Every structure is written in C-alpha cells, then in structure tokens.
Amino acid sequence: MRGTPGAARVHILCTAVCAALCALPALSPGAGTPWGTLGLLAALYLACELPGRCRVVGGSVPVGAGSFFPLLLAGAFLLPPSAAVLVAVPGALAGRVERPPATARRVWRAAQLALSVGAASWTYAFLGGPATLGGASGGAAPDLPYALLPACATALVFSLVLAALDGGILVTAERVAVRHAWCGLPARSVGPHLVHALAGLMMAVLWRSPYGPLSALVVLLPMYISCWVFAQYHRQHAAHRATIRALVQAVDIKDGYTRGHSERVGRASELIARELGMEESRMEALRFAGILHDVGKLGVPTRVLRKDGPLTPEERRVIELHPEYGHEIVRGIGFLDEARAAILHHHERLDGSGYPYGLAGDSIPEFARVVAVADAFDAMTSTRSYRRGRPVPAAVEELERCAGSQFDPRMVRALAHALDRHGWSAAANTVTSDEEPPGLPHQRAGARGRATGSPGRPGHPR
C-alpha cells in the first residue's frame, strides 16, 4: 500500500476487518455454509472479472462499473449473510485496476464489496426474503410480486453502504471536503442498483427452480452484453475527453497566457447550466463549449497573440476572426452538437454590437449567452500581469451592470445564484490570458498592453 495516504490506509483496514468479522460465522465448524452454492457464485464472479486483465479484450470490460453486481446480489439472495460476504472477494482481488497502487485498490474493492453484499444479505434475511423465492426444496413457486419488496430493500441497503464507503475513501484518499464527499452518490447509484437487484432476483429464482444453477447462467448472457455496451460507451466518452484535452493543450501551447482559462470557463458554464436545470447531456455539451470557446486562436498568427503593445486595426480584425476559426476547427466533431454554436457566437452582445455577426437578443444561441457570461467572469476574477483579479462579488456586480446590454440577465442571475450556493475556488484566480472582459473599463498598464477601445468595448477582442 505504498503511496496510499495514512488516513486511507486506516479506512481500508477498518473496512477489511469489518468484512472479515462478518465472514467469520461462515467459517466456523457446524455453520452449515452452502459451500457448493458459494463456490460456484464466487467462481462465476471471478470468471467475470478475469477478462479485464486480458490484453486482447481487457479494454472492452469496464472496471468497477457495476456490470456484474446482479451476480453479487444473487449471492445476497441465495446465501446467508456470512457466506454472501465471501462471494466478491476472489474476483475483486484478481480483477483489473487502472491506476496504482494496485494492491491497495484491490484490497479496498474486495473489502467494500464484501461488506456491502453482507449488509444487503442481512437485510434480505431480516425481511424474510428467502421464503419468497420458493424453489425445489419446498416445491413452491416464487411469491411474486411480494418477492420484489425485500429485493428492492436489499438493493437500497447495498447502494447506501457502497455510497457511504465510497464517500469515506474520497475524504481519506482523494482529500475531498467532507461536505462534498457524499453529495449525489446515493442518488446516482440507487436506480442502477434496483435494476441489478431485479436481474439478481431472476438468477436466484432460476437457481432455486427445478432446473438448477445451470438455468441461472442464462442471465449471464444479457449481463455480458450490457457490460460490453457499457464499456463501449465509456470508451467513446474517454475518446471525447481526449479530443477536448488535445485541442485545449494546443491552444495553451500557442498562447501560454490562456493556461487554465478554458477549464475554468467550462466549469463556470456548467454551474450556470445546473442552475438553469439543463439536462445532463446538454450540460456536458455546454461544458465542452466553455472549454473550447477559444480554440479558434489556433488560426490566429502567434505574433499577434503574443504581441507586446497596442494592436493595429488590421490585427484586431484578425483576432476577431477567432470565433469563426474555432467553429471551422470543430465543425466535423459530431459529439460537440450545440457547443459549435457557442464557440462561434460567444462574443456576440445582447444589444447587437458584438462579433462576428452582430446578432442580438434571443437570436444569439443559448449556449453562447452562457459562455459569454462565464468567459467574462473568469477574465475579471483571474490575476493578470498588469492587475490583480477582482473579488468575486465585484465581478458579479460588474456582470449585473452589463446585463441587458451585453449579457443575458437570466444567465447572470444563474451564475450569481450558483456562486452563492457553491462558491468559486481560490485556485481559479491564476494568471491567464491578457484580455479585458467585454463591457469592462479599460485598465491596461505595463507589459503586453493592447490597443485601447471605446468605453464598454474590449481593448483586445479575444
């Protein structure tokens, strides 16, 4: 566990000890543990995890994504709690990990899953779930739909224990603030785990049927198909992020003053989107728009971007082409969707005096209106070579002053409410590009001075 923080080691050790104590009754003489069922379930889970370590197909198998949780929940339905604890251990210890330290991650995953399955199995037994399965021993049919109630309660406990342990590791290993560690974890996981519970219940019913365990293996086929589809989605999503990262790095290399600015604009855009109640898919596209809003600088000559001193009118016209350059650069990237319009129009103004096309009011795309506010906010709160960044309240006050003429008032209000609720990290106030946000008084002094503009217009049109 070298490289693991001390607090995380304690958290992992405590979880592993609790899991071991839960498993002890199954190992004691005369416990009557159904070793045949336990061994077969553990072997199946191990067989599901091992392909992840294969160099040929390993990339197609998601790690820790929950694709095989129905098998674990079937163990919770079929086994006593002390035996159910052991189902996940061999597979979790032998499974693939993507980042070091590998040993600590494997031990943590085994202990976490063991404790979660044990708690789920105890809940199922407490609610009388085993009696609802029917099966060959009693010759009775499953007691449906009542059998769904203890199964759903089991999934809920499984989900809550997993979320509680995940939050603990975020606090101890990732240094996430306590108030944020558990935010949203249960809400995101309960729905999928309820679906896993239904698949696990189907396995348990077939396992206990006269056809025996072999019939339960039929459920593994759709599980593997869902695993593959889920993995392909994640691989595609990772490719999207890699594309975005490559473009942003290219911009940062060309104009070092923008380093970090793009990511912060993406973050501020996402805060606004959440406040507006946008769907997750649109929220992600908007974050991409914020990150890539200045990608058009790749088409601007480096001598213009890095020029010290005022820009000539011709150089200003070249700079003002960067939204169109950006739109052309990302035109063929299908997953960006609405983000392309934001890249093209994020310098438009509500009163029609912006560029490149002088759009006004609602004719400016919604994403562009969001990114314009996020861009100006980060420009004001970031420290430059010639001035310190403004405090957040002062930046918000300036945005509100320009709302209606330059910025969409609804977007400004959304950002203000989001900042009141979530705050803005002090880490955001770093040195970035030498640009005055549109609509702000010109305050240039010292190095990298640009051409002055009329009041309310940018000195440098970036």
Side-chain angles (χ1 to χ4, degrees):
M1 292 190 181
R2 184 176 301 174
T4 306
R9 294 186 188 185
V10 172
H11 184 61
I12 293 171
L13 180 61
C14 290
T15 305
V17 168
C18 289
L21 291 175
C22 291
L24 278 180
L27 305 175
S28 61
T33 300
W35 289 108
T37 300
L38 171 58
L40 185 53
L41 286 170
L44 287 172
Y45 188 73
L46 175 62
C48 290
E49 289 282 359
L50 285 180
R53 302 189 68 171
C54 176
R55 293 184 179 181
V56 178
V57 299
S60 298
V61 180
V63 177
S67 298
F68 306 123
F69 282 177
L71 192 54
L72 298 182
L73 289 168
F77 299 148
L78 291 167
L79 296 169
S82 58
V85 169
L86 300 171
V87 172
V89 173
L93 291 177
R96 183 177 99 240
V97 293
E98 294 181 324
R99 292 184 297 165
T103 300
R105 290 181 182 277
R106 287 194 176 102
V107 171
W108 162 247
R109 191 160 180 241
Q112 179 194 35
L113 290 177
L115 202 57
S116 300
V117 174
S121 183
W122 182 88
T123 302
Y124 193 68
F126 178 78
L127 295 176
T132 67
L133 291 179
S137 57
D143 188 5
L144 295 173
Y146 178 73
L148 298 175
L149 297 179
C152 290
T154 300
L156 179 62
V157 170
F158 179 79
S159 183
L160 292 177
V161 174
L162 269 181
L165 295 174
D166 275 336
I169 206 68
L170 287 175
V171 171
T172 56
E174 306 293 340
R175 311 296 189 189
V176 176
V178 173
R179 65 180 181 276
H180 297 313
W182 287 275
C183 183
L185 283 177
R188 289 194 300 267
S189 60
V190 167
H193 290 157
L194 286 172
V195 176
H196 296 155
L198 295 178
L201 181 64
M202 186 187 306
M203 282 195 68
V205 169
L206 290 173
W207 198 291
R208 295 275 295 269
S209 73
Y211 302 102
L214 287 178
S215 63
L217 299 183
V218 175
V219 182
L220 289 179
L221 179 58
M223 285 169 55
Y224 260 106
I225 293 174
S226 67
C227 170
W228 181 83
V229 171
F230 197 72
Q232 298 313 304
Y233 167 78
H234 275 271
R235 292 178 69 182
Q236 184 183 47
H237 202 64
H240 292 173
R241 291 196 300 269
T243 301
I244 301 298
R245 188 164 54 249
L247 289 171
V248 171
Q249 286 175 347
V251 175
D252 287 347
I253 291 171
K254 184 156 188 175
D255 187 2
Y257 262 86
T258 65
R259 192 173 305 278
H261 171 66
S262 298
E263 288 81 358
R264 292 194 300 276
V265 173
R267 176 174 173 253
S269 299
E270 187 175 17
L271 286 176
I272 296 173
R274 288 191 183 279
E275 197 67 31
L276 295 175
M278 287 188 184
E279 298 176 357
E280 285 292 332
S281 59
R282 295 192 74 216
M283 205 167 353
E284 182 177 53
L286 182 53
R287 182 170 63 85
F288 288 159
I291 292 173
L292 292 175
H293 74 287
D294 274 342
V295 71
K297 289 181 179 179
L298 293 174
V300 177
T302 304
R303 62 175 178 80
V304 177
L305 286 177
R306 298 185 178 182
K307 180 180 178 181
D308 290 324
L311 294 176
T312 66
E314 178 61 29
E315 288 169 337
R316 283 180 58 86
R317 284 193 291 270
V318 171
I319 285 285
E320 288 184 351
L321 290 174
H322 83 270
E324 294 178 275
Y325 291 154
H327 185 261
E328 288 301 314
I329 289 171
V330 303
R331 180 188 292 275
I333 304 178
F335 70 85
L336 288 178
D337 197 23
E338 289 184 83
R340 292 192 291 272
I343 293 169
L344 179 61
H345 296 295
H346 70 277
H347 277 296
E348 306 284 5
R349 295 169 56 110
L350 221 62
D351 59 9
S353 62
Y355 64 89
Y357 299 133
L359 301 184
D362 290 339
S363 62
I364 303 172
E366 183 181 30
F367 274 23
R369 285 177 272 146
V370 172
V371 172
V373 172
D375 186 21
F377 172 75
D378 182 69
M380 283 188 283
T381 56
S382 298
T383 296
R384 308 298 170 78
S385 60
Y386 53 86
R387 62 152 175 81
R388 294 186 60 82
R390 297 188 183 192
V392 169
V396 172
E397 183 179 349
E398 188 64 27
L399 289 173
E400 290 172 344
R401 186 183 70 82
C402 297
S405 60
Q406 177 176 355
F407 304 117
D408 186 330
R410 188 166 69 102
M411 308 309 174
V412 174
R413 286 194 300 270
L415 179 62
H417 293 161
L419 292 172
D420 287 340
R421 184 175 304 176
H422 304 290
W424 185 250
S425 171
N429 302 326
T430 56
V431 177
T432 61
S433 59
D434 190 18
E435 57 178 323
E436 282 295 338
L440 302 181
H442 198 69
Q443 302 181 23
R444 300 199 179 279
R448 291 180 63 86
R450 302 294 190 188
T452 58
S454 60
R457 291 300 302 271
H460 192 304
R462 293 187 345 186

